[in-house]
Amino acid sequence: YSSADAADSPPSVRVQSTTNGTLVEVQPSTQLEAGEEVLRGWLLDASAIKAPLQQLVLDWTSERDGFQRFSIEASDDLQHWQP
């Protein structure tokens, strides 16, 4: 989430890996006030999958009918992204 009037500045992403698992923390680039947040996207962590990923299947359930727009990007370090 980010503020409704925020520019397209990327959020802060922190990754901490331990033997017990991985913690991925995503923070908006600016502080949010209650009620002004807008969903900007999702982060899917597929690091536990050891085989190469060949496809992504989405089962989209929404109150809204119609088309949804997606762009999918991948990153090994969460700093450099590729479509």
Side-chain angles (χ1 to χ4, degrees), residues 36-82:
E36 72 169 14
E37 54 211 26
V38 174
L39 179 63
R40 298 291 183 187
W42 298 267
L43 176 65
L44 302 175
D45 180 5
S47 62
I49 301 171
K50 301 305 177 199
L53 298 178
Q54 297 181 355
Q55 67 180 348
L56 176 64
V57 178
L58 300 174
D59 183 6
W60 189 264
T61 305
S62 175
E63 308 95 41
R64 297 182 185 181
D65 291 330
F67 294 98
Q68 302 295 326
R69 184 176 145 182
F70 289 93
S71 68
I72 299 175
E73 298 179 9
S75 172
D76 290 327
D77 61 5
L78 298 177
Q79 301 298 316
H80 304 93
W81 294 86
Q82 298 178 7

Side-chain angles (χ1 to χ4, degrees), residues 1-6 30-40:
Y1 288 90
S2 68
S3 64
D5 60 351
T30 58
Q31 281 290 63
L32 298 177
E33 297 294 326
E36 72 169 14
E37 54 211 26
V38 174
L39 179 63
R40 298 291 183 187

Side-chain angles (χ1 to χ4, degrees), residues 4-32:
D5 60 351
D8 287 335
S9 57
S12 168
V13 178
R14 182 175 73 89
V15 178
Q16 179 181 352
S17 294
T18 66
T19 56
N20 295 330
T22 302
L23 169 69
V24 178
E25 181 180 35
V26 180
Q27 294 291 327
S29 57
T30 58
Q31 281 290 63
L32 298 177

